[in-house]
Amino acid sequence: QVQLVQSGGGLVQAGGSLRLSCAASGIIFAKNAVVGWYRQAPGKQRELVASAPGGTSAGYVESVRERFSIFKDNARSTAYLQMNSLKLEDTAVYYCNLHIPGDIERPSGYDYWGQGTQVTVSS
């Protein structure tokens, strides 16, 4: 019943900006809920590009640092990824992930994924 619905992808010229959103239903964002944004380019492995852990500062992979910003709106159960100064190498399918830390019944935790959205950066 838990769903993560993504929006905001599309085609943009190099140097432009896009904002991705990830709206959750059937679950609420708690302080300890971790949101991650992943991307996968053709022929490449899926990589984590940004994360918003509960109780700590956001983290970014070096290739997007100071260009991308992640925000987790707990009140709206929605996460965002602001992407600025986009480069050709940012072209990929982007996925949001919601991770709930484990408990005694399921130590590995719980993971939910959005459907993915295409981001294409052109010259």
Side-chain angles (χ1 to χ4, degrees):
Q1 191 173 2
V2 176
Q3 291 186 328
L4 272 59
V5 179
Q6 298 180 224
S7 62
L11 176 66
V12 65
Q13 287 187 284
S17 298
L18 285 173
R19 179 183 287 110
L20 306 182
S21 65
C22 178
S25 62
I27 195 170
I28 60 172
F29 286 6
K31 184 179 180 179
N32 64 345
V34 179
V35 172
W37 285 95
Y38 294 74
R39 69 185 181 188
Q40 187 168 22
K44 303 290 186 179
Q45 297 286 90
R46 182 177 295 187
E47 65 171 345
L48 175 66
V49 297
S51 64
T56 62
S57 300
Y60 305 90
V61 70
E62 285 293 332
S63 60
V64 308
R65 200 179 308 275
E66 299 185 2
R67 298 190 298 116
F68 290 11
S69 298
I70 187 172
F71 178 71
K72 183 179 67 170
D73 187 338
N74 292 338
R76 291 188 172 189
S77 295
T78 302
Y80 303 90
L81 183 68
Q82 178 67 45
M83 304 183 293
N84 299 323
S85 301
L86 284 161
K87 303 176 179 180
L88 294 178
E89 54 263 40
D90 294 320
T91 296
V93 177
Y94 285 72
Y95 300 88
C96 66
N97 168 265
L98 176 66
H99 176 75
I100 309 298
D103 52 32
I104 192 65
E105 297 180 359
R106 189 171 179 175
S108 61
Y110 307 83
D111 284 278
Y112 306 95
W113 291 89
Q115 81 279 14
T117 187
Q118 178 71 45
V119 171
T120 302
V121 183
S122 67
S123 60

mmCIF file of all heavy atoms in Angstrom, residues 38-70:
data_model
loop_
_atom_site.group_PDB
_atom_site.id
_atom_site.type_symbol
_atom_site.label_atom_id
_atom_site.label_comp_id
_atom_site.label_asym_id
_atom_site.label_seq_id
_atom_site.Cartn_x
_atom_site.Cartn_y
_atom_site.Cartn_z
ATOM 1 N N TYR A 38 18.941 8.153 -6.018
ATOM 2 C CA TYR A 38 19.850 7.339 -6.799
ATOM 3 C C TYR A 38 19.679 7.665 -8.269
ATOM 4 O O TYR A 38 18.652 8.204 -8.681
ATOM 5 C CB TYR A 38 19.576 5.851 -6.587
ATOM 6 C CG TYR A 38 19.846 5.324 -5.192
ATOM 7 C CD1 TYR A 38 18.988 5.608 -4.135
ATOM 8 C CD2 TYR A 38 20.953 4.516 -4.940
ATOM 9 C CE1 TYR A 38 19.224 5.115 -2.861
ATOM 10 C CE2 TYR A 38 21.198 4.014 -3.672
ATOM 11 C CZ TYR A 38 20.330 4.315 -2.642
ATOM 12 O OH TYR A 38 20.574 3.808 -1.384
ATOM 13 N N ARG A 39 20.686 7.316 -9.062
ATOM 14 C CA ARG A 39 20.553 7.440 -10.508
ATOM 15 C C ARG A 39 21.272 6.297 -11.198
ATOM 16 O O ARG A 39 22.221 5.730 -10.664
ATOM 17 C CB ARG A 39 21.090 8.785 -11.009
ATOM 18 C CG ARG A 39 22.596 8.952 -10.898
ATOM 19 C CD ARG A 39 22.996 10.361 -11.315
ATOM 20 N NE ARG A 39 24.435 10.564 -11.240
ATOM 21 C CZ ARG A 39 25.026 11.737 -11.410
ATOM 22 N NH1 ARG A 39 24.301 12.821 -11.662
ATOM 23 N NH2 ARG A 39 26.357 11.828 -11.326
ATOM 24 N N GLN A 40 20.790 5.961 -12.381
ATOM 25 C CA GLN A 40 21.389 4.909 -13.176
ATOM 26 C C GLN A 40 21.408 5.329 -14.638
ATOM 27 O O GLN A 40 20.362 5.533 -15.242
ATOM 28 C CB GLN A 40 20.637 3.585 -13.016
ATOM 29 C CG GLN A 40 21.314 2.412 -13.694
ATOM 30 C CD GLN A 40 20.720 1.077 -13.286
ATOM 31 O OE1 GLN A 40 19.584 1.003 -12.831
ATOM 32 N NE2 GLN A 40 21.492 0.024 -13.444
ATOM 33 N N ALA A 41 22.603 5.477 -15.178
ATOM 34 C CA ALA A 41 22.788 5.801 -16.587
ATOM 35 C C ALA A 41 22.921 4.515 -17.386
ATOM 36 O O ALA A 41 23.280 3.468 -16.837
ATOM 37 C CB ALA A 41 24.022 6.680 -16.766
ATOM 38 N N PRO A 42 22.643 4.561 -18.693
ATOM 39 C CA PRO A 42 22.778 3.357 -19.519
ATOM 40 C C PRO A 42 24.172 2.757 -19.420
ATOM 41 O O PRO A 42 25.173 3.459 -19.564
ATOM 42 C CB PRO A 42 22.488 3.866 -20.928
ATOM 43 C CG PRO A 42 21.622 5.062 -20.727
ATOM 44 C CD PRO A 42 22.123 5.697 -19.467
ATOM 45 N N GLY A 43 24.233 1.457 -19.160
ATOM 46 C CA GLY A 43 25.501 0.771 -19.047
ATOM 47 C C GLY A 43 26.256 1.025 -17.760
ATOM 48 O O GLY A 43 27.395 0.566 -17.620
ATOM 49 N N LYS A 44 25.651 1.735 -16.831
ATOM 50 C CA LYS A 44 26.301 2.059 -15.569
ATOM 51 C C LYS A 44 25.567 1.417 -14.398
ATOM 52 O O LYS A 44 24.401 1.047 -14.499
ATOM 53 C CB LYS A 44 26.352 3.571 -15.356
ATOM 54 C CG LYS A 44 27.038 4.356 -16.461
ATOM 55 C CD LYS A 44 28.534 4.113 -16.472
ATOM 56 C CE LYS A 44 29.211 5.011 -17.493
ATOM 57 N NZ LYS A 44 30.686 4.816 -17.507
ATOM 58 N N GLN A 45 26.273 1.291 -13.286
ATOM 59 C CA GLN A 45 25.668 0.809 -12.058
ATOM 60 C C GLN A 45 24.845 1.917 -11.407
ATOM 61 O O GLN A 45 25.139 3.102 -11.560
ATOM 62 C CB GLN A 45 26.737 0.327 -11.080
ATOM 63 C CG GLN A 45 27.557 -0.867 -11.559
ATOM 64 C CD GLN A 45 26.780 -2.145 -11.501
ATOM 65 O OE1 GLN A 45 26.114 -2.524 -12.465
ATOM 66 N NE2 GLN A 45 26.833 -2.834 -10.375
ATOM 67 N N ARG A 46 23.805 1.524 -10.678
ATOM 68 C CA ARG A 46 23.045 2.501 -9.928
ATOM 69 C C ARG A 46 23.906 3.057 -8.808
ATOM 70 O O ARG A 46 24.586 2.308 -8.099
ATOM 71 C CB ARG A 46 21.774 1.867 -9.361
ATOM 72 C CG ARG A 46 20.888 2.838 -8.599
ATOM 73 C CD ARG A 46 19.603 2.182 -8.122
ATOM 74 N NE ARG A 46 18.760 1.763 -9.237
ATOM 75 C CZ ARG A 46 17.529 1.282 -9.115
ATOM 76 N NH1 ARG A 46 16.988 1.166 -7.905
ATOM 77 N NH2 ARG A 46 16.841 0.912 -10.175
ATOM 78 N N GLU A 47 23.892 4.382 -8.645
ATOM 79 C CA GLU A 47 24.697 5.018 -7.630
ATOM 80 C C GLU A 47 23.858 5.955 -6.775
ATOM 81 O O GLU A 47 22.911 6.581 -7.251
ATOM 82 C CB GLU A 47 25.871 5.800 -8.248
ATOM 83 C CG GLU A 47 25.455 6.987 -9.096
ATOM 84 C CD GLU A 47 26.624 7.862 -9.515
ATOM 85 O OE1 GLU A 47 27.731 7.736 -8.936
ATOM 86 O OE2 GLU A 47 26.441 8.698 -10.431
ATOM 87 N N LEU A 48 24.231 6.059 -5.519
ATOM 88 C CA LEU A 48 23.615 7.007 -4.608
ATOM 89 C C LEU A 48 24.244 8.372 -4.841
ATOM 90 O O LEU A 48 25.469 8.515 -4.772
ATOM 91 C CB LEU A 48 23.819 6.563 -3.159
ATOM 92 C CG LEU A 48 23.327 7.503 -2.063
ATOM 93 C CD1 LEU A 48 21.812 7.631 -2.100
ATOM 94 C CD2 LEU A 48 23.794 7.016 -0.695
ATOM 95 N N VAL A 49 23.419 9.385 -5.103
ATOM 96 C CA VAL A 49 23.947 10.720 -5.374
ATOM 97 C C VAL A 49 23.672 11.702 -4.246
ATOM 98 O O VAL A 49 24.415 12.678 -4.093
ATOM 99 C CB VAL A 49 23.415 11.284 -6.705
ATOM 100 C CG1 VAL A 49 23.882 10.427 -7.868
ATOM 101 C CG2 VAL A 49 21.893 11.390 -6.708
ATOM 102 N N ALA A 50 22.622 11.486 -3.460
ATOM 103 C CA ALA A 50 22.299 12.391 -2.366
ATOM 104 C C ALA A 50 21.475 11.650 -1.334
ATOM 105 O O ALA A 50 20.676 10.779 -1.670
ATOM 106 C CB ALA A 50 21.541 13.628 -2.865
ATOM 107 N N SER A 51 21.656 12.002 -0.068
ATOM 108 C CA SER A 51 20.894 11.378 1.008
ATOM 109 C C SER A 51 20.601 12.394 2.088
ATOM 110 O O SER A 51 21.367 13.345 2.292
ATOM 111 C CB SER A 51 21.634 10.176 1.599
ATOM 112 O OG SER A 51 22.843 10.568 2.222
ATOM 113 N N ALA A 52 19.480 12.184 2.776
ATOM 114 C CA ALA A 52 19.067 13.037 3.884
ATOM 115 C C ALA A 52 18.768 12.155 5.086
ATOM 116 O O ALA A 52 17.607 11.829 5.352
ATOM 117 C CB ALA A 52 17.859 13.886 3.514
ATOM 118 N N PRO A 53 19.793 11.752 5.811
ATOM 119 C CA PRO A 53 19.571 10.908 6.987
ATOM 120 C C PRO A 53 18.925 11.691 8.117
ATOM 121 O O PRO A 53 19.136 12.897 8.258
ATOM 122 C CB PRO A 53 20.979 10.453 7.372
ATOM 123 C CG PRO A 53 21.858 10.806 6.207
ATOM 124 C CD PRO A 53 21.217 11.989 5.573
ATOM 125 N N GLY A 54 18.156 10.996 8.957
ATOM 126 C CA GLY A 54 17.580 11.646 10.104
ATOM 127 C C GLY A 54 18.643 11.990 11.133
ATOM 128 O O GLY A 54 19.481 11.150 11.471
ATOM 129 N N GLY A 55 18.607 13.227 11.603
ATOM 130 C CA GLY A 55 19.510 13.656 12.653
ATOM 131 C C GLY A 55 20.907 14.045 12.223
ATOM 132 O O GLY A 55 21.722 14.397 13.071
ATOM 133 N N THR A 56 21.202 13.995 10.925
ATOM 134 C CA THR A 56 22.509 14.373 10.413
ATOM 135 C C THR A 56 22.350 15.244 9.177
ATOM 136 O O THR A 56 21.271 15.349 8.613
ATOM 137 C CB THR A 56 23.378 13.151 10.075
ATOM 138 O OG1 THR A 56 22.744 12.388 9.045
ATOM 139 C CG2 THR A 56 23.574 12.273 11.300
ATOM 140 N N SER A 57 23.447 15.849 8.751
ATOM 141 C CA SER A 57 23.437 16.701 7.568
ATOM 142 C C SER A 57 23.314 15.861 6.307
ATOM 143 O O SER A 57 23.653 14.680 6.287
ATOM 144 C CB SER A 57 24.706 17.548 7.510
ATOM 145 O OG SER A 57 24.822 18.382 8.645
ATOM 146 N N ALA A 58 22.839 16.493 5.245
ATOM 147 C CA ALA A 58 22.725 15.826 3.963
ATOM 148 C C ALA A 58 24.103 15.499 3.405
ATOM 149 O O ALA A 58 25.085 16.188 3.676
ATOM 150 C CB ALA A 58 21.952 16.697 2.982
ATOM 151 N N GLY A 59 24.162 14.433 2.619
ATOM 152 C CA GLY A 59 25.405 14.029 1.996
ATOM 153 C C GLY A 59 25.245 13.914 0.495
ATOM 154 O O GLY A 59 24.152 13.632 -0.008
ATOM 155 N N TYR A 60 26.349 14.121 -0.228
ATOM 156 C CA TYR A 60 26.327 14.121 -1.681
ATOM 157 C C TYR A 60 27.560 13.422 -2.223
ATOM 158 O O TYR A 60 28.641 13.500 -1.629
ATOM 159 C CB TYR A 60 26.275 15.544 -2.245
ATOM 160 C CG TYR A 60 25.129 16.360 -1.722
ATOM 161 C CD1 TYR A 60 25.270 17.131 -0.577
ATOM 162 C CD2 TYR A 60 23.896 16.341 -2.367
ATOM 163 C CE1 TYR A 60 24.207 17.871 -0.080
ATOM 164 C CE2 TYR A 60 22.834 17.076 -1.883
ATOM 165 C CZ TYR A 60 22.997 17.842 -0.743
ATOM 166 O OH TYR A 60 21.938 18.569 -0.258
ATOM 167 N N VAL A 61 27.397 12.766 -3.360
ATOM 168 C CA VAL A 61 28.543 12.228 -4.051
ATOM 169 C C VAL A 61 29.340 13.394 -4.639
ATOM 170 O O VAL A 61 28.784 14.466 -4.929
ATOM 171 C CB VAL A 61 28.103 11.230 -5.146
ATOM 172 C CG1 VAL A 61 27.427 11.946 -6.305
ATOM 173 C CG2 VAL A 61 29.269 10.385 -5.617
ATOM 174 N N GLU A 62 30.647 13.217 -4.788
ATOM 175 C CA GLU A 62 31.510 14.314 -5.194
ATOM 176 C C GLU A 62 31.085 14.949 -6.515
ATOM 177 O O GLU A 62 31.199 16.167 -6.686
ATOM 178 C CB GLU A 62 32.961 13.839 -5.292
ATOM 179 C CG GLU A 62 33.650 13.628 -3.955
ATOM 180 C CD GLU A 62 33.852 14.925 -3.197
ATOM 181 O OE1 GLU A 62 33.966 15.990 -3.836
ATOM 182 O OE2 GLU A 62 33.895 14.878 -1.955
ATOM 183 N N SER A 63 30.582 14.162 -7.436
ATOM 184 C CA SER A 63 30.258 14.674 -8.759
ATOM 185 C C SER A 63 29.086 15.653 -8.772
ATOM 186 O O SER A 63 28.918 16.396 -9.738
ATOM 187 C CB SER A 63 29.967 13.518 -9.718
ATOM 188 O OG SER A 63 28.879 12.738 -9.260
ATOM 189 N N VAL A 64 28.262 15.671 -7.704
ATOM 190 C CA VAL A 64 27.114 16.575 -7.666
ATOM 191 C C VAL A 64 27.205 17.582 -6.533
ATOM 192 O O VAL A 64 26.327 18.452 -6.419
ATOM 193 C CB VAL A 64 25.780 15.807 -7.565
ATOM 194 C CG1 VAL A 64 25.695 14.738 -8.643
ATOM 195 C CG2 VAL A 64 25.607 15.189 -6.183
ATOM 196 N N ARG A 65 28.219 17.482 -5.710
ATOM 197 C CA ARG A 65 28.347 18.373 -4.559
ATOM 198 C C ARG A 65 28.362 19.836 -5.000
ATOM 199 O O ARG A 65 29.014 20.196 -5.969
ATOM 200 C CB ARG A 65 29.625 18.037 -3.781
ATOM 201 C CG ARG A 65 29.625 18.555 -2.339
ATOM 202 C CD ARG A 65 30.913 18.178 -1.612
ATOM 203 N NE ARG A 65 31.214 16.762 -1.705
ATOM 204 C CZ ARG A 65 30.729 15.825 -0.899
ATOM 205 N NH1 ARG A 65 29.887 16.163 0.072
ATOM 206 N NH2 ARG A 65 31.056 14.561 -1.068
ATOM 207 N N GLU A 66 27.622 20.664 -4.284
ATOM 208 C CA GLU A 66 27.463 22.094 -4.531
ATOM 209 C C GLU A 66 26.612 22.403 -5.752
ATOM 210 O O GLU A 66 26.410 23.576 -6.080
ATOM 211 C CB GLU A 66 28.817 22.807 -4.626
ATOM 212 C CG GLU A 66 29.636 22.704 -3.352
ATOM 213 C CD GLU A 66 30.915 23.514 -3.401
ATOM 214 O OE1 GLU A 66 31.160 24.197 -4.413
ATOM 215 O OE2 GLU A 66 31.680 23.477 -2.418
ATOM 216 N N ARG A 67 26.104 21.382 -6.430
ATOM 217 C CA ARG A 67 25.170 21.581 -7.537
ATOM 218 C C ARG A 67 23.781 21.051 -7.209
ATOM 219 O O ARG A 67 22.784 21.630 -7.638
ATOM 220 C CB ARG A 67 25.680 20.915 -8.816
ATOM 221 C CG ARG A 67 26.994 21.471 -9.326
ATOM 222 C CD ARG A 67 27.313 20.930 -10.724
ATOM 223 N NE ARG A 67 27.475 19.481 -10.732
ATOM 224 C CZ ARG A 67 26.680 18.640 -11.388
ATOM 225 N NH1 ARG A 67 25.651 19.100 -12.096
ATOM 226 N NH2 ARG A 67 26.922 17.336 -11.351
ATOM 227 N N PHE A 68 23.702 19.943 -6.482
ATOM 228 C CA PHE A 68 22.437 19.325 -6.110
ATOM 229 C C PHE A 68 22.142 19.593 -4.642
ATOM 230 O O PHE A 68 23.059 19.676 -3.816
ATOM 231 C CB PHE A 68 22.474 17.811 -6.332
ATOM 232 C CG PHE A 68 22.509 17.367 -7.770
ATOM 233 C CD1 PHE A 68 22.741 18.257 -8.805
ATOM 234 C CD2 PHE A 68 22.305 16.028 -8.082
ATOM 235 C CE1 PHE A 68 22.780 17.841 -10.122
ATOM 236 C CE2 PHE A 68 22.336 15.594 -9.392
ATOM 237 C CZ PHE A 68 22.571 16.496 -10.413
ATOM 238 N N SER A 69 20.853 19.698 -4.311
ATOM 239 C CA SER A 69 20.420 19.865 -2.930
ATOM 240 C C SER A 69 19.240 18.947 -2.654
ATOM 241 O O SER A 69 18.303 18.880 -3.455
ATOM 242 C CB SER A 69 20.020 21.318 -2.643
ATOM 243 O OG SER A 69 21.112 22.202 -2.823
ATOM 244 N N ILE A 70 19.279 18.257 -1.528
ATOM 245 C CA ILE A 70 18.208 17.356 -1.134
ATOM 246 C C ILE A 70 17.453 17.958 0.045
ATOM 247 O O ILE A 70 18.055 18.594 0.916
ATOM 248 C CB ILE A 70 18.749 15.955 -0.782
ATOM 249 C CG1 ILE A 70 17.607 14.964 -0.542
ATOM 250 C CG2 ILE A 70 19.690 16.008 0.416
ATOM 251 C CD1 ILE A 70 18.075 13.518 -0.389
#
